[in-house]
Amino acid sequence: DVKVTQSSRYLVKRTGEKVFLECVQDMDHENMFWYRQDPGLGLRLIYFSYDVKMKEKGDIPEGYSVSREKKERFSLILESASTNQTSMYLCASSNPQGRETQYFGPGTRLLVL
Amino acid sequence: QKEVEQNSGPLSVPEGAIASLNCTYSDRVSQSFFWYRQYSGKSPELIMSIYSNGDKEDGRFTAQLNKASQYVSLLIRDSQPSDSATYLCAVNVNTGNQFYFGTGTSLTVIP
């Protein structure tokens, strides 16, 4: 059974803190993605990765960085959290074949105070 | 112009009716098309995929694709209150392996 897990379901952090969100997939997928989802704005791509140690900027990379040291793990880092980064963060993975869908983790709801 | 556009709704239908959700996309090289269902506070889950022009049926769900018109739709027959959710349309463009998501259509099925 397909599985994408995220390290936390809910997080509360203070402005200026460094925040780590981790995502692990057990499907041996090559592609991994980080999105944020806000009401009325839909899913917005922050970063994605095609392979270990590879990363590509998405539509809204500012204020974020990522790390992919192992194929199954993709981390999103907020270097200095700000209140406008309060959001639902969703990790997804897929294989590069064109017909492969993306599988989502359960999401992390982050509140920055 | 957005890559994928959906009517945000909300769309309300009575229980037992057909719900029709629509999506248009801008990139003509798009290859794969997906419908996700997302309950409030949960992550998206795949319910249908379609790759060729025409209809694809799976239980109460039918996806319809018209590449010439760059249009994909989802029909839900015999709608149930449990179908109340936001439905996301997604398009995969082979080049770059990126997915483009619509902003979603909120569906409410009224008992």
Side-chain angles (χ1 to χ4, degrees):
Chain A
D1 196 17
V2 165
K3 198 160 186 182
V4 180
T5 56
Q6 294 182 229
S7 50
S8 305
R9 293 299 307 273
Y10 302 95
L11 271 181
V12 181
K13 296 291 181 182
R14 297 274 179 197
T15 302
E17 280 192 78
K18 191 168 187 175
V19 182
F20 293 88
L21 303 181
E22 286 212 317
C23 175
V24 178
Q25 51 95 2
D26 66 358
M27 296 163 284
D28 202 34
H29 283 168
E30 295 182 24
N31 297 341
M32 296 188 75
F33 306 81
W34 275 107
Y35 297 90
R36 63 177 285 177
Q37 188 175 35
D38 302 285
L41 297 177
L43 283 164
R44 292 183 290 168
L45 181 64
I46 304 171
Y47 269 96
F48 60 100
S49 170
Y50 293 140
D51 200 352
V52 176
K53 297 192 186 295
M54 301 293 289
K55 61 183 178 183
E56 296 284 342
K57 292 180 179 180
D59 300 320
I60 51 163
E62 296 79 19
Y64 303 95
S65 62
V66 291
S67 172
R68 192 164 181 202
E69 297 296 319
K70 293 185 178 181
K71 189 175 185 180
E72 67 271 18
R73 190 179 298 268
F74 192 35
S75 301
L76 179 70
I77 303 149
L78 287 66
E79 295 290 341
S80 177
S82 63
T83 55
N84 63 12
Q85 291 179 310
T86 291
S87 186
M88 169 73 103
Y89 289 88
L90 289 159
C91 174
S93 71
S94 73
N95 265 334
Q97 288 78 16
R99 294 190 169 191
E100 286 283 330
T101 189
Q102 288 194 357
Y103 296 94
F104 285 88
T108 296
R109 192 168 292 279
L110 173 66
L111 173 63
V112 182
L113 300 173
Chain B
Q1 183 185 0
K2 291 183 180 178
E3 299 282 349
V4 179
E5 298 211 39
Q6 297 179 250
N7 289 330
S8 61
L11 174 65
S12 294
V13 300
E15 184 174 354
I18 295 175
S20 177
L21 306 165
N22 303 314
C23 174
T24 58
Y25 60 94
S26 60
D27 196 328
R28 288 194 172 274
V29 300
S30 300
Q31 297 289 320
S32 309
F33 308 86
F34 306 92
W35 283 100
Y36 289 81
R37 178 177 61 202
Q38 187 175 23
Y39 293 114
S40 180
K42 303 293 186 182
S43 62
E45 58 176 327
L46 179 72
I47 54 172
M48 288 288 286
S49 58
I50 187 166
Y51 312 109
S52 305
N53 279 329
D55 295 359
K56 179 182 177 183
E57 188 174 317
D58 183 1
R60 295 187 295 112
F61 298 98
T62 299
Q64 300 174 317
L65 175 61
N66 184 324
K67 289 188 177 182
S69 300
Q70 296 176 242
Y71 177 93
V72 59
S73 65
L74 179 70
L75 300 178
I76 306 174
R77 291 183 300 281
D78 188 24
S79 295
Q80 301 296 309
S82 59
D83 295 326
S84 298
T86 295
Y87 289 81
L88 303 174
C89 173
V91 172
N92 178 280
V93 179
N94 272 346
T95 56
N97 290 306
Q98 283 204 50
F99 276 61
Y100 296 95
F101 288 87
T103 53
T105 298
S106 174
L107 171 67
T108 300
V109 180
I110 303 166

